[in-house]
Amino acid sequence: MATQFDADVIVIGSGALGNNAAFELAQQGKSVIILEAGEHVPRWKIVENFRTSSRKGNFNDPYPNAPWAPTSYQENYIENTGDFDLFPGMLKLVGGTTWHWAAATWRYIPNDMKLKTLYGVGRDWPIEYDELEPYYVCAEKALGVSGSDTDDQSGQGGDAWPPRSEPYPVSPEGDTYYFQRIRDRISAEDYRFIHEPNARTHKPWDGRPACSGNNNCMPVCPIGAMYSGDVHARHAENAGAKLITDATAYHLEKGDNGKIAAVHYRSSNGDDTRLTAKYFIVAAHGLETPKLLLLSEVANSSDQVGRNLMDHTGMGLQFLADEPVWPGRGPVQQGGIFNWRDGDFRREHSAIKHALTNMVPNTAVTQRLLDNLIVGPELDDRIRHDAARWVDISTVFEMLPHAHNTVRPSTRYKDALGIPMLTVNYSVDNYVKAAADVAKRDYANFVRIMGGQVIEDDTGWQNRDHLMGTVIMGDRAEDSVVNGECRTWDHDNLFLATTGVIPASGVINPTLAGVALSIRIADIIAKEI
Amino acid sequence: MKFIKNNAVKTLRLSRRELLGGMAAVSAAAFFPWATRTWADSPGATSEQAIQDFLMLSERLTGREALDARIAGRVWQALLDSDERFADRQRLLAQAMDDANLIDMRSFKAFAATQPEALTQTAVAIISAWYLGFTGSVQGHSATDNTRFITYTGALMFEPTIDATVIPTYSRGHSDYWVDPPASIATD
């Protein structure tokens, strides 16, 4: 008698990665169920929540924070035990955390994926760039990526790089005046500025309108020009996938022959449900995915689940330029300085990316002036003067995977469903500290070239919310969780669609790679069912 | 009363009439949640006078002639909710400003140097609420903090740049407008 399943494939998590995998599978005629811990919230409600929020700089604030589906800023959701307090801004609702990103959609360059071979540090990816390239193309079309076909994105001033089999779906948007002025002045000293490929299309794409410069990519694009994961929740449902909200997966049940037999989820009223499928994809981001595996005691014969946690831990610089450059016009970021993206120095210190932040700075400008007791007519004059000259640079560093940087189910705190929350142990190593010295020298140069007055050039380490490494990909079952297909070594019907598989972080925002890998997962599974 | 302008008084009266009318009809709280404590818990006349005084003080502190009376009520309530001694602090501040004959706010720094720290903090708290549109301190990686929302588009910090940038979530119109600087660039 044939076994009956609830679905061909169950996807756990309705973020950009899970939904893209679900859509591909549904399009290929497979029956798909998507489980989402949170709810569907229409964009207008999030926009209104933002407009009436008293903490607009807190990007989780406009989003639902239910006791059974908390955001990552909920008290005790993450307990930190390491040197650095890792607090990525993660969300639980249909569409996931790409509701608030800035839609940076870089590709890794081939050398990023061969870090160990080329520079003797960290790990290599188990796949090469050429294997991923066709799926980068698919991912860029899915998200509607706007980018330059001529930039050398490795930052070395050469020809277009990395290699592309097709041009970007959308041309680059115009450079902001802010970007132009800073680029024109700083690049005179051989700092190489690169346009940032992005999914904030400036031409209509896939039902989304063109970006109109509302300058609020984070925490919510009010017009939906910027891609967010809810787009592919909708596409997946239209293609026949079933999306179940208020469904927190808490257990993966092992079956015969090393397969996963079922997922158990709990709703906010405490009801438990068991669903079976031929294949399972866990797409619950780089912290919740390893937590679910550890709670279920699956996929961990290597003891690597929940280890090797990497963020692109960063630093920042703010200064006042000697001319009005007017940040706040257009999208919130457009690119940056890439000299330190690749080179032999990666033997000694991590790669570095300096990105220009282009957010309306009035809150920070005004608070600073008030701290200096500048009030009355002078306050208005200075707000205009300083807001026009405010330059904000956000730097990120390449991290290496270390077994001691971990995420674990909490032994102290549980959510309202009785499911353990998270304990994180995270520290920054000397490879990154050495790069911070280099970044600070760059900061001094930027300030000098722009005739600047420093506001802050020693921020300490900062969160960047790019979670990698925690279910690490490799070519040996002994020291990695998934193989190059993102299939767990221990269970051949369990795949992980998360940037947590990434074994070498580079300096670029990893979401596009995650989407590309997810579409590839769907293709692999579709061929096997 | 020498600092309050006629138009501000009119605005205040209009606003107050709406408020009191609302309370009489059903409940002020139903329409103006921020007003509950003031109008429900304490005698109306006291609050009215306090808010009127607060509006006058706010106009002195910001150097503006006609602040929005409804926002004044929200600022006042938020500051009162944050600090139960706020009404006393407000009175002390106004008295000190009168005593020092502080009219031109360009002299504020010199004035502050002669005053207790707490009094300066009260002044900055009031100005800050009007400019930023909220009170309290934002905690970055937390789901809660002591902030209170006042207004977004009414925050005074946006006025000096409104011709050049946007109030985030709103738009200046179309893609790629941003390749050019604001029209004012030569004089900025």
Side-chain angles (χ1 to χ4, degrees), chain A residues 51-52 54-56 58 73 174-177 180 211-212 214 216 222 326-327 329-330 362-363 372 380 384 389, chain B residues 64 109 131 140 142-143 145 147 149 152 157 160-161 163-165 169-171 175-176 178-180 182 184 188:
Chain A
R51 286 174 174 163
T52 57
S54 59
R55 36 181 170 264
K56 293 187 167 65
N58 179 329
Y73 295 161
D175 291 334
T176 60
Y177 180 75
Q180 294 171 44
C211 172
S212 293
N214 305 57
N216 206 69
W326 281 114
R329 295 163 61 84
N362 291 40
T363 302
N372 289 296
D380 290 331
R384 185 175 179 91
R389 288 161 178 78
Chain B
R64 293 181 184 237
K109 222 173 201 173
Y131 270 81
S142 169
D145 56 30
T147 60
F149 174 70
Y152 184 36
M157 68 177 171
T161 56
D163 63 310
T165 54
T169 72
Y170 298 93
S171 169
S175 295
D176 286 353
W178 51 76
V179 302
D180 297 317
S184 58
D188 284 332

Side-chain angles (χ1 to χ4, degrees), chain A residues 358-378:
Chain A
N358 183 41
M359 297 178 82
V360 170
N362 291 40
T363 302
V365 165
T366 304
Q367 281 179 315
R368 176 171 172 271
L369 293 170
L370 287 172
D371 286 346
N372 289 296
L373 299 185
I374 293 167
V375 301
E378 190 188 359

Side-chain angles (χ1 to χ4, degrees), chain B:
Chain B
M1 297 295 285
K2 62 185 169 180
F3 293 104
I4 199 162
K5 302 296 185 289
N6 287 338
N7 52 354
V9 174
K10 281 179 197 157
T11 313
L12 179 63
R13 284 182 180 153
L14 250 180
S15 170
R16 191 189 316 135
R17 191 159 56 233
E18 288 174 48
L19 290 172
L20 297 175
M23 185 170 70
V26 190
S27 152
F31 297 99
F32 306 101
W34 53 268
T36 48
R37 176 165 157 177
T38 309
W39 277 273
D41 299 351
S42 54
T46 307
S47 299
E48 280 178 55
Q49 187 58 48
I51 292 181
Q52 188 168 331
D53 292 347
F54 181 74
L55 182 63
M56 290 168 53
L57 179 61
S58 294
E59 289 178 344
R60 288 176 72 179
L61 287 167
T62 59
R64 293 181 184 237
E65 296 189 352
L67 291 174
D68 186 309
R70 188 171 298 193
I71 295 176
R74 293 178 60 82
V75 176
W76 187 75
Q77 189 67 58
L79 291 169
L80 196 64
D81 286 345
S82 312
D83 176 4
E84 60 185 17
R85 292 192 53 208
F86 177 74
D88 292 339
R89 296 185 198 283
Q90 170 189 333
R91 209 158 33 241
L92 286 172
L93 174 62
Q95 186 62 52
M97 288 170 68
D98 283 346
D99 293 347
N101 196 27
L102 178 66
I103 297 168
D104 184 345
M105 288 303 285
R106 281 174 292 195
S107 308
F108 180 76
K109 222 173 201 173
F111 164 77
T114 67
Q115 301 295 327
E117 173 75 21
L119 190 133
T120 305
Q121 285 174 358
T122 300
V124 172
I126 295 169
I127 298 168
S128 176
W130 280 100
Y131 270 81
L132 302 179
F134 64 89
T135 60
S137 301
V138 176
Q139 298 297 314
H141 300 126
S142 169
T144 55
D145 56 30
N146 66 356
T147 60
R148 289 177 166 80
F149 174 70
I150 312 270
T151 176
Y152 184 36
T153 56
L156 298 181
M157 68 177 171
F158 291 120
E159 287 185 5
T161 56
I162 199 65
D163 63 310
T165 54
V166 296
I167 298 176
T169 72
Y170 298 93
S171 169
R172 300 199 75 80
H174 59 88
S175 295
D176 286 353
Y177 88 87
W178 51 76
V179 302
D180 297 317
S184 58
I185 190 74
T187 54
D188 284 332

